Amino acid sequence: MSRLALCCAPLALIAAAPLAAQQLPDWSGVWFTEAGATVSISGFPTAVLNPSDTSPFPLLNPQGPWTEEGRAALISQLGRLGLSKSQGWGYPVMMVSATPLQFIVTPRETLVLTVYRDLRHIMTDGRPLSAPEDRWVTTWGESVGHWEGDTLVIETVAVRQPGLSFLSPPLSEKAHYLERLRKVGPDRIEGEMTITDPETLTEPWTIPLAYVRAEGLDRLVYDVFTNDRSELDGDAFGILPPGEHADPP
Amino acid sequence: MRLRLSIGLCLAAAMVPAANAHHSPVMFDSGRSVSVSGTVREFQWTNPHCYIQLVDDTPRQAEWNMEMAAPIYLMNKGWRPTTLKPGDRVKITVSPLRSGANGGLVLDVVSLDGKTIGKVK
């Protein structure tokens, strides 16, 4: 081993080591994306009043650097939205949707939870991503992260396609996701997500991320779906009478 | 431009499921609003949606199926499971069902003297 390698090895270990709890930023509380924070008792974000505003769903933006096939798949998907249901979000939709979410920051991992029981483990104990032949493709993918000062840098791979939600972008399972998140104020976390996908994107695609503190929640409250009264009736959903329930999607 | 607009409309249609996680809102006519006064028969604080069963004040006393966001979104806006009780008299503004059935997506709930229901920060 060269003298330079010997000299740098301890530094590499320090960089990969998890931060002590007292060094970690406080991201406690419940957060919404900026669009999610505008959701009223109706479920409508404010932006829905402006149909040409696609900002609440940046991953469904046809203006992204899609390949021809990727854009065709996206437009086909958009045409089916009116007749679709889903049980939750999955990754990456959970990071840009209107669902409330929590970040549980610990020395060895950061957990991201949503109220629809999405759960990401972002391992920050210095481990690398699994070797490609060992990866387990799942709806939430495999993530590792590290802290650069107070910025959490996250790499995610092995995200199952098609995604859990009808709002999932039509990326491939070869997609690589790089996120950078930083708390920039007591009530705001900002960052970005860069997606690289050799099959559906012509170049890396970076979208901004921004979360604001939920005004009326101090925790996520989970409950199962016991009362889905939305049932497809011809070419649109209708509301079943109380006591009747639709079949699960 | 036409393609861009139609895509925008599709995305708009997707926004309610983003909040509610279940289905598209194209079943509701978001371009219209209808206000219905009546008596609460039942308030369902349930996932994936909350519902208000409202018996209107018309001579027919028709029952309306009023869909709301999931409970967590209502909680964020100051609502609680007991915010509405059977017998409460309210006026509810909805985006009506396109089908013409008695029902819609709740936009606003006020008491008959005009006070907003739920805690408002």
Side-chain angles (χ1 to χ4, degrees), chain B residues 46-57:
Chain B
T46 53
N47 267 326
H49 297 276
C50 295
Y51 293 92
I52 303 170
Q53 298 303 127
L54 188 78
V55 177
D56 70 26
D57 284 344

Side-chain angles (χ1 to χ4, degrees), chain A residues 2-240:
Chain A
S2 72
R3 184 174 292 178
L4 179 62
L6 283 171
C7 170
C8 293
L11 292 177
L13 285 174
I14 291 169
L19 292 178
Q22 64 269 22
Q23 295 175 280
L24 295 170
D26 178 9
W27 292 7
S28 59
V30 180
W31 303 83
F32 275 103
T33 60
E34 285 185 306
T38 70
V39 172
S40 71
I41 60 172
S42 72
F44 275 99
T46 304
V48 80
L49 302 174
N50 177 7
S52 63
D53 183 352
T54 62
S55 60
F57 289 91
L59 295 174
L60 295 183
N61 188 348
Q63 310 305 320
W66 298 100
T67 61
E68 202 171 305
E69 285 183 5
R71 184 171 289 106
L74 174 61
I75 290 173
S76 171
Q77 180 180 334
L78 292 172
R80 299 191 302 271
L81 289 180
L83 302 176
S84 304
K85 274 190 180 184
S86 66
Q87 291 276 19
W89 300 130
Y91 182 82
V93 177
M94 62 184 278
M95 303 304 293
V96 295
S97 76
T99 179
L101 69 170
Q102 285 190 257
F103 300 92
I104 313 297
V105 180
T106 77
R108 294 198 171 275
E109 66 173 315
T110 291
L111 300 168
V112 186
L113 324 169
T114 80
V115 80
Y116 295 111
R117 294 183 287 183
D118 293 297
L119 172 59
R120 295 178 71 193
H121 291 270
I122 301 164
M123 308 309 299
T124 53
D125 56 1
R127 75 180 67 186
L129 288 167
S130 300
E133 63 272 23
D134 292 336
R135 287 177 187 166
W136 181 359
V137 174
T138 68
T139 296
W140 293 273
E142 175 188 336
S143 298
V144 298
H146 66 275
W147 291 94
E148 294 180 0
D150 55 2
T151 299
L152 179 59
V153 182
I154 311 163
E155 272 191 274
T156 301
V157 295
V159 179
R160 176 180 288 138
Q161 297 293 338
L164 181 61
S165 168
F166 53 89
L167 298 173
S168 302
L171 298 161
S172 81
E173 293 181 354
K174 293 180 181 172
H176 175 278
Y177 306 79
L178 179 67
E179 292 159 275
R180 299 179 65 87
L181 293 173
R182 177 172 171 264
K183 191 176 177 187
V184 297
D187 300 321
R188 188 173 180 84
I189 294 172
E190 287 185 355
E192 62 183 28
M193 176 188 293
T194 298
I195 307 170
T196 306
D197 185 356
E199 293 197 355
T200 67
L201 300 177
T202 59
E203 60 185 70
W205 185 16
T206 298
I207 61 164
L209 302 173
Y211 307 96
V212 295
R213 194 176 292 282
E215 61 181 316
L217 302 173
D218 62 1
R219 65 196 186 284
L220 300 178
V221 182
Y222 294 86
D223 200 4
V224 293
F225 292 6
T226 58
N227 193 29
D228 182 359
R229 293 171 53 189
S230 307
E231 186 165 78
L232 202 55
D233 180 14
D235 58 356
F237 286 101
I239 304 176
L240 292 169

